[in-house]
Amino acid sequence: METKTIILGTAGHIDHGKTTLVKALTGIDTDRLKEEKERGITIELGFAHLDLPTGQRVGVVDVPGHERFVKNMVAGAMGMDLVALVVAADEGVMPQTREHMEICQLLGVKRGIVVLTKKDMVDEEWLELAAEDVKEFVAGTFLDDAPLLAVSSTRGEGLKELLQVLGEMVSRITPRAPGGPYRLPVDRVFTIKGFGTVVTGTSISGQIRMGDEAMISPRGLSARIRGIQIHGREAQEARPGLRTALNLQGVDREQIERGNVVATPGSLHASYLLDLKLLYLKSAGRPLRHRIPVRFHVGTVEIIGRLLLQNDEIDPGTETFAQIKLEEPVGVLPGDHYVIRSYSPVRTIGGGRILHPLPRRRKRTRPELWTELAILDQGGPQELIGFHLERAGVRGLTQPELAIRTGLYGKTLQREIDRLLSTKAIIRVDSEGQRLVHGMVYETLKEQALRMLDIYHREHPLVQGLPKEELRSRLFSRAGDPKLFQNMLNDLIGLQQILQERDLVRLATHQIALGEAEEEIKAALEKVFKKAGLQPPSREEALAGVPCATGTPARIFDYLVREGTLVRLKDDLYFHRSALDRVRSMVVDFIEKHGEIGINDFRDMAGGLSRKFMIPLLEYLDNQRVTLRVGDKRKLRG
């Protein structure tokens, strides 16, 4: 039989015959717990498979109808492609009928069928009244034009017609494409002797194969897929829409619980804070207050959290943006549907879609932080990519990080990135790490670099340029990406806006030009060091001999050092370049004549220099690779 990746779920009030209907259609009793058998009610999710007359097999999720177990119903409704709203003909629409219907709408269920059960319990007139009641109830919802069939599960009346209609509906449903990361929200965890840990759930996206690595979110655990079963049969891979059991290697039963998600490694980042599109149900009855505690349902998990609103409260029937601060982290993706139930008394009050799985805190005093959520709600792929990259700033985002934030994957994400790269709307910083930066952020960075260099040149007119690493530390509040910085420098150099000379960076227009007074100071300082020869004064002594405006001789002194006229050998010991050239020539001539030179030879040749000057000069020649020290003597290199 063809396995079509479709999940049919039930919904409806307690004791309206959901489980009996599933058993009549499939031959499988989904009430497996002893307590369920004893009490005659469904407590946990039940699972079966249905073989349709068309030859298609679909998965069936039977949900509990009792109000105490609505959280289990929410978990089961997460993966539904098609819902059978079950209403008992002898009772009609009841409280859990309404709540289950609201949950299905909040979770984005789009298709369904209405099934009136227990037709054998009422006469034809009552059955017609019940049908009218249900039609009025579903008017204006996704079940407005849905087929409505009456059946008796105990007598088998209407079941053949129901199967035929279901087959026609299923044949028109396009199976979910296996795009994006694999995700399976866990609804059961157990161990099988000889196999180890097994989890079950409905695969909601992506695909995973035998032997693949997987992560357990939000716990950050790693596991390997040891075995796969689809609807109770061995399989090599799991795809979206299929009822799946995974045998996990590398994790113990105690390390996983219901609500965890088995996913592609690196595809989910757990967060305590989420951006939401929220519909506050009209049936809630009273205004919803800022920071009110609620029960947050997504996938198969229920977490207590506080709703953060832009205003003090919102009225029932309002659709708005919100954030939720959770007591425990959760790994979700944009577009995931969720349900919110009141803390006490427990009742479904709203739900919607997740807009951002890793947002920043949106303060009520900054309205712009809330209005930008409209982009996440209505924006197209390129707008979403631009939004997240712009807010990432100079850090940028990798393609996997973009996927988590945008909900775009694979070829779709790559296609949109390529389009944005072609117009330079975004910049690829690192092809190996796939890091991307928004084009505006990149242009702003270049403007800041030019502005910083301009300010530096005005503050230090006699300095050739700013050290490259100092410019990087000024541009980035924290350690900036070296590749982004170098890319930016290369672009500015290519545009002939800056020049890089060794480790210094300067504006292409910057030239050092000494004024008349500065030229006089320069000449005076040079004269001091030329006259001193091989016994130069300290920096402080030299500056003291050149009276001028405060600070100017010091700047000229530093300028002479940077341009190489004065050379610092150690500490506060500076020599004029001409003096060092003379020493080099003297030492080379001596060694060429005598084969080597000792420290006494050098002292005699230099006119009785003290060790204060001799040792630094000889070491300077060693460092310049003119001489090579051998014991107490020095010879020429090469």
Side-chain angles (χ1 to χ4, degrees):
M1 290 188 180
E2 177 190 351
T3 301
K4 195 165 186 178
T5 58
I6 299 297
I7 294 293
L8 167 67
T10 64
H13 196 75
I14 182 173
D15 202 29
H16 275 209
K18 296 185 294 299
T19 302
T20 304
L21 176 63
V22 171
K23 185 175 181 180
L25 291 173
T26 67
I28 299 171
D29 185 357
T30 56
D31 281 350
R32 67 185 188 280
L33 303 179
K34 180 181 178 182
E35 184 181 359
E36 291 178 318
K37 302 289 187 185
E38 292 174 350
R39 297 175 61 183
I41 63 172
T42 299
I43 298 173
E44 271 288 356
L45 296 173
F47 306 100
H49 56 268
L50 174 62
D51 294 326
L52 297 169
T54 55
Q56 297 164 327
R57 168 172 283 186
V58 297
V60 180
V61 179
D62 183 30
V63 304
H66 196 288
E67 61 178 345
R68 286 178 52 197
F69 309 117
V70 170
K71 69 176 183 179
N72 295 343
M73 183 274 168
V74 175
M78 177 71 181
M80 289 182 186
D81 300 290
L82 184 69
V83 65
L85 180 66
V86 177
V87 182
D90 60 340
E91 288 192 333
V93 175
M94 297 292 282
Q96 260 25 76
T97 313
R98 298 181 183 279
E99 187 167 16
H100 281 206
M101 184 66 178
E102 289 172 341
I103 289 169
C104 288
Q105 292 190 89
L106 293 170
L107 290 177
V109 180
K110 301 296 184 185
R111 305 174 189 85
I113 185 170
V114 180
V115 183
L116 275 176
T117 56
K118 304 185 182 182
K119 66 176 290 189
D120 57 307
M121 303 287 288
V122 298
D123 57 29
E124 284 297 322
E125 185 178 356
W126 187 272
L127 187 62
E128 289 180 10
L129 289 173
E132 288 301 318
D133 180 39
V134 174
K135 286 180 181 178
E136 184 178 342
F137 169 66
V138 300
T141 73
F142 70 96
L143 291 178
D144 198 344
D145 298 321
L148 187 152
L149 289 88
V151 303
S152 170
S153 300
T154 55
R155 295 183 180 180
E157 297 174 15
L159 295 183
K160 183 177 180 180
E161 292 80 0
L162 176 57
L163 286 171
Q164 184 176 348
V165 172
L166 284 173
E168 293 171 356
M169 295 184 72
V170 168
S171 66
R172 293 195 296 268
I173 297 176
T174 302
R176 304 183 203 184
Y182 179 77
R183 289 191 293 160
L184 180 137
V186 175
D187 53 44
R188 289 180 63 206
V189 189
F190 51 91
T191 56
I192 297 179
K193 190 173 182 180
F195 290 90
T197 304
V198 177
V199 299
T200 66
T202 300
S203 302
I204 60 174
S205 67
Q207 55 190 347
I208 201 163
R209 297 184 61 82
M210 288 276 288
D212 284 352
E213 291 288 335
M215 65 177 286
I216 313 300
S217 175
R219 303 199 166 194
L221 302 174
S222 296
R224 185 177 293 277
I225 306 301
R226 185 180 180 184
I228 300 174
Q229 281 194 354
I230 305 298
H231 300 305
R233 296 181 178 180
E234 298 295 329
Q236 290 299 307
E237 71 172 11
R239 297 163 63 88
L242 296 175
R243 185 65 200 167
T244 306
L246 299 176
N247 182 197
L248 302 179
Q249 184 179 22
V251 290
D252 296 330
R253 161 69 184 87
E254 295 74 22
Q255 293 179 288
I256 309 176
E257 63 184 4
R258 178 184 182 137
N260 292 165
V261 180
V262 180
T264 301
S267 62
L268 297 175
H269 287 187
S271 173
Y272 289 89
L273 189 65
L274 303 173
D275 279 336
L276 310 174
K277 179 73 173 290
L278 169 66
L279 172 61
Y280 184 47
L281 294 174
K282 196 170 184 177
S283 60
R286 64 179 66 179
L288 182 69
R289 301 191 315 275
H290 174 64
R291 293 191 60 80
I292 190 171
V294 294
R295 300 173 187 271
F296 181 79
H297 296 261
V298 64
T300 54
V301 71
E302 175 190 312
I303 306 175
I304 303 301
R306 289 189 179 274
L307 274 177
L308 308 177
L309 307 175
Q310 187 177 3
N311 301 312
D312 290 337
E313 61 181 32
I314 58 173
D315 294 326
T318 300
E319 191 169 35
T320 186
F321 297 127
Q323 284 194 312
I324 190 164
K325 182 73 169 64
L326 301 169
E327 291 185 357
E328 299 174 33
V330 65
V332 294
L333 293 175
D336 284 353
H337 286 82
Y338 68 92
V339 169
I340 285 177
R341 309 189 78 217
S342 53
Y343 186 76
S344 180
V346 182
R347 181 159 182 349
T348 301
I349 59 173
R353 288 185 302 113
I354 291 167
L355 300 178
H356 197 336
L358 298 166
R360 54 182 169 174
R361 178 69 181 270
R362 302 190 185 278
K363 298 181 180 179
R364 303 171 76 196
T365 55
R366 296 184 60 188
E368 70 277 6
L369 295 181
W370 293 86
T371 55
E372 70 181 19
L373 287 173
I375 298 174
L376 299 180
D377 181 34
Q378 300 292 335
Q382 294 189 21
E383 288 179 286
L384 292 176
I385 292 171
F387 174 90
H388 289 291
L389 283 178
E390 186 175 354
R391 278 143 191 81
V394 295
R395 190 186 76 82
L397 295 170
T398 63
Q399 286 187 214
E401 288 172 334
L402 261 179
I404 291 173
R405 288 161 174 79
T406 63
L408 302 170
Y409 302 96
K411 293 181 180 178
T412 300
L413 177 60
Q414 189 60 61
R415 181 175 63 249
E416 300 301 337
I417 286 175
D418 289 343
R419 288 173 178 171
L420 292 168
L421 286 170
S422 67
T423 61
K424 296 191 183 303
I426 64 175
I427 305 296
R428 191 187 300 280
V429 177
D430 177 8
S431 57
E432 185 176 326
Q434 297 182 315
R435 186 166 295 279
L436 301 160
V437 169
H438 196 284
M440 286 175 52
V441 171
Y442 188 66
E443 290 302 316
T444 299
L445 190 66
K446 291 197 290 187
E447 291 170 7
Q448 289 175 333
L450 294 173
R451 187 162 55 251
M452 285 180 180
L453 287 174
D454 180 59
I455 292 172
Y456 184 81
H457 291 329
R458 282 190 274 113
E459 293 177 348
H460 305 89
L462 302 182
V463 178
Q464 186 69 19
L466 181 64
K468 187 172 79 170
E469 285 305 305
E470 185 177 342
L471 176 61
R472 185 164 77 93
S473 66
R474 292 188 182 196
L475 275 174
F476 300 97
S477 56
R478 281 173 275 186
D481 188 328
K483 291 185 177 179
L484 172 63
F485 179 66
Q486 193 57 56
N487 283 358
M488 182 208 67
L489 285 187
N490 293 341
D491 281 355
L492 291 175
I493 291 170
L495 293 169
Q496 298 183 336
Q497 291 181 285
I498 67 169
L499 296 174
Q500 181 177 346
E501 297 165 346
R502 296 186 300 275
D503 66 332
L504 296 180
V505 179
R506 67 178 175 87
L507 294 176
T509 55
H510 175 64
Q511 296 290 337
I512 295 176
L514 301 181
E516 184 177 338
E518 292 165 332
E519 287 286 1
E520 290 179 1
I521 296 171
K522 176 176 177 286
L525 284 171
E526 277 203 72
K527 183 178 180 180
V528 168
F529 279 90
K530 281 183 177 179
K531 183 178 180 180
L534 300 181
Q535 301 184 69
S538 67
R539 183 177 189 274
E540 185 178 346
E541 291 169 342
L543 293 176
V546 185
C548 188
T550 304
T552 302
R555 292 201 301 272
I556 300 298
F557 187 98
D558 294 338
Y559 167 72
L560 288 171
V561 173
R562 284 192 299 274
E563 71 166 12
T565 300
L566 298 182
V567 180
R568 178 175 174 271
L569 297 197
K570 61 178 294 186
D571 301 331
D572 196 27
L573 190 58
Y574 297 84
F575 288 84
H576 195 279
R577 169 61 63 187
S578 62
L580 295 176
D581 290 343
R582 182 158 56 92
V583 167
R584 177 195 296 256
S585 179
M586 289 165 50
V587 169
V588 169
D589 288 346
F590 187 93
I591 296 176
E592 285 179 343
K593 290 180 181 178
H594 302 91
E596 60 185 17
I597 189 171
I599 192 167
N600 292 332
D601 299 325
F602 182 65
R603 182 181 60 235
D604 295 341
M605 182 180 63
L609 277 181
S610 68
R611 294 181 64 87
K612 171 185 175 181
F613 300 111
M614 279 195 303
I615 300 303
L617 285 169
L618 288 172
E619 290 177 348
Y620 167 75
L621 294 176
D622 293 340
N623 294 333
Q624 292 294 304
R625 303 186 67 80
V626 174
T627 56
L628 175 67
R629 181 175 176 178
V630 181
D632 293 334
K633 306 290 184 178
R634 282 176 168 79
K635 298 183 177 183
L636 292 179
R637 283 184 181 267

